[in-house]
Amino acid sequence: MVAERVVVAMSGGVDSSVAAALLHEQGYDVIGMTMKLWDGPETAETGHKTCCTLDDVSDARRVAAQLGIPFYVANFKAQFASHVMDYFTNAYRQGYTPNPCVQCNRYLKFTHLLHRARQLGARWVATGHYASVDRGEDGRYYLRRGRDANKDQSYFLFDMTQEQLHRTLLPLGQYDKKEVRAMASRWQLNVAAKAESQEICFIPDGDYRTFLRARLAPEEAQPGQMVNAAGAVVGAHQGLPFYTVGQRRGLGVAAGHPLYVTQVQPEQNRLVVGPRQEAMSETCTVERLNWLCPPPAQAIQTTVQIRYRHSPVAATVEPLDGNRARLVLREPQFAVMPGQAAVFYDGETVIGGGWICREAVSDG
């Protein structure tokens, strides 16, 4: 029997390395592939926990050699610039807080990499995400949370299509991080103790404002008014792309109580700030929905995550026209950020999700 071929996205980290090793052990015809996404530093700088350096490529190549599998580096820099870096900049330009990891997963790993895999005769693409995919009784493919609640990454994969899910293997879904590192040690993989990448990969120092300044025209980041909920001017902002809903630090306004960003209003070049309770929301509109279950015709009860490290909260999803929905949260939540994903769960299963809108604000 001919082994089924799978291309594993290998970043040089322990998770993707163990994913490749597991599939190899299970008898798949494994090909390792590192995606070259941007011109990063040659080595990981002190204090920066990111990926995509030449050291990471070397680590992935060594693991592939240890496993005895073919290894390739795919140049996806143009696609990454368009789908991720330009998206990231445009989102801040328009008053949103972007989520580049969701974009990268859908368009790089499970679109361009899947296309490259097919060119190599592979049926599958695999990654080291902590989540799993299976087929429901209705014939549709569903995402399930990873067993390790602290590492579960199903949130980042909600925007995948049925075809993408059908062609995806996620071998780490049933393991926790400790078990993954133990397997890497048992197989003597050189990355067994390697630190995790934690920052946005193309902003290794975590300073997204410096990244934006280099990409925005001066008129796109003009200073403007900082106002309270009543419209009274309380200070000045230094350019709207440098602020996000829920932000407290760096506002430069003295008050008798902590102030938070509650709204970003690009049309008026205005930043609204207020006490914490004014940054709480119990409703929002979600657009560009992607349903993994059959799209509901009426309101449904679910739990929702409004960002990656957010504890799920009970909510009602009320369908609207134009592939949108109104989300009613059972309890008000802090910093519901326009531009972030709202992902719907039924227990441990992702049933859909969409992107939180920035509500239009009039001058009146």
Side-chain angles (χ1 to χ4, degrees):
M1 183 176 179
V2 178
E4 292 185 340
R5 181 168 294 173
V6 55
V7 167
V8 181
M10 297 182 67
S11 66
V14 63
D15 295 332
S16 59
S17 297
V18 169
L22 278 170
L23 293 171
H24 180 63
E25 185 177 69
Q26 292 167 11
Y28 285 91
D29 177 10
V30 178
I31 296 173
M33 189 172 292
T34 293
M35 298 183 294
K36 184 62 176 174
L37 302 178
W38 65 291
D39 292 318
E42 292 189 4
T43 61
E45 300 177 34
T46 302
H48 297 168
K49 296 179 181 179
T50 183
C51 61
C52 309
T53 66
L54 290 181
D55 283 351
D56 294 314
V57 176
S58 296
D59 285 341
R61 192 186 304 276
R62 283 195 291 269
V63 169
Q66 284 181 266
L67 299 176
I69 62 174
F71 176 80
Y72 303 98
V73 177
N75 184 348
F76 289 148
K77 290 190 289 185
Q79 296 90 333
F80 186 76
S82 173
H83 288 298
V84 180
M85 297 172 79
D86 288 350
Y87 148 80
F88 185 86
T89 304
N90 289 334
Y92 276 111
R93 183 182 282 131
Q94 297 168 24
Y96 292 95
T97 301
N99 193 314
C101 294
V102 175
Q103 292 289 106
C104 184
N105 285 324
R106 175 164 183 176
Y107 293 106
L108 273 297
K109 293 183 179 72
F110 301 111
T111 298
H112 294 294
L113 184 63
L114 180 57
H115 178 70
R116 187 65 57 87
R118 285 171 169 165
Q119 291 177 330
L120 294 172
R123 178 179 179 183
W124 310 97
V125 161
T127 70
H129 285 98
Y130 287 82
S132 61
V133 179
D134 60 41
R135 192 173 186 180
E137 294 180 359
D138 59 1
R140 300 173 71 95
Y141 290 87
Y142 288 91
L143 276 167
R144 317 289 185 190
R145 287 191 185 276
R147 199 192 84 191
D148 187 339
N150 292 322
K151 291 296 296 178
D152 168 53
Q153 294 170 307
S154 58
Y155 174 92
F156 292 121
L157 304 175
F158 88 95
D159 210 23
M160 292 174 64
T161 66
Q162 285 291 304
E163 175 62 18
Q164 290 170 333
L165 291 170
H166 179 41
R167 299 298 180 186
T168 297
L169 298 177
L170 301 175
L172 301 192
Q174 61 182 310
Y175 300 102
D176 63 32
K177 186 73 178 194
K178 185 177 180 179
E179 291 171 323
V180 167
R181 287 202 184 277
M183 286 187 285
S185 296
R186 185 169 71 250
W187 290 321
Q188 299 183 331
L189 302 182
N190 62 291
V191 296
K194 187 174 180 178
E196 296 183 67
S197 58
Q198 296 178 341
E199 308 293 347
I200 298 173
C201 68
F202 55 93
I203 308 179
D205 62 359
D207 184 4
Y208 82 93
R209 294 175 179 85
T210 296
F211 173 84
L212 290 175
R213 285 189 183 97
R215 295 170 66 90
L216 294 171
E219 62 271 15
E220 293 176 323
Q222 287 289 329
Q225 293 181 341
M226 188 182 298
V227 303
N228 61 21
V233 177
V234 298
H237 68 75
Q238 302 305 306
L240 290 184
F242 309 133
Y243 300 85
T244 61
V245 169
Q247 179 178 333
R248 175 184 173 185
R249 296 180 182 275
L251 299 185
V253 178
H257 54 269
L259 294 178
Y260 301 82
V261 175
T262 62
Q263 291 184 55
V264 177
Q265 300 177 351
E267 293 83 0
Q268 296 86 2
N269 191 28
R270 190 167 60 192
L271 193 72
V272 184
V273 299
R276 183 180 174 88
Q277 61 264 30
E278 292 181 6
M280 305 291 289
S281 301
E282 59 183 12
T283 66
C284 66
T285 303
V286 180
E287 62 183 354
R288 290 177 287 141
L289 294 169
N290 182 55
W291 290 104
L292 303 187
C293 68
Q298 56 189 15
I300 62 169
Q301 303 300 313
T302 185
T303 57
V304 63
Q305 278 183 237
I306 57 171
R307 50 186 170 270
Y308 174 47
R309 288 300 184 186
H310 176 252
S311 297
V313 61
T316 302
V317 181
E318 302 173 351
L320 302 173
D321 60 3
N323 197 30
R324 300 176 304 134
R326 181 171 182 262
L327 191 60
V328 182
L329 306 170
R330 182 168 298 175
E331 299 176 0
Q333 299 296 302
F334 175 71
V336 179
M337 299 179 187
Q340 289 291 291
V343 179
F344 315 142
Y345 289 83
D346 179 5
E348 300 296 295
T349 301
V350 177
I351 60 172
W355 300 92
I356 299 170
C357 297
R358 181 175 57 79
E359 305 292 347
V361 178
S362 67
D363 286 311

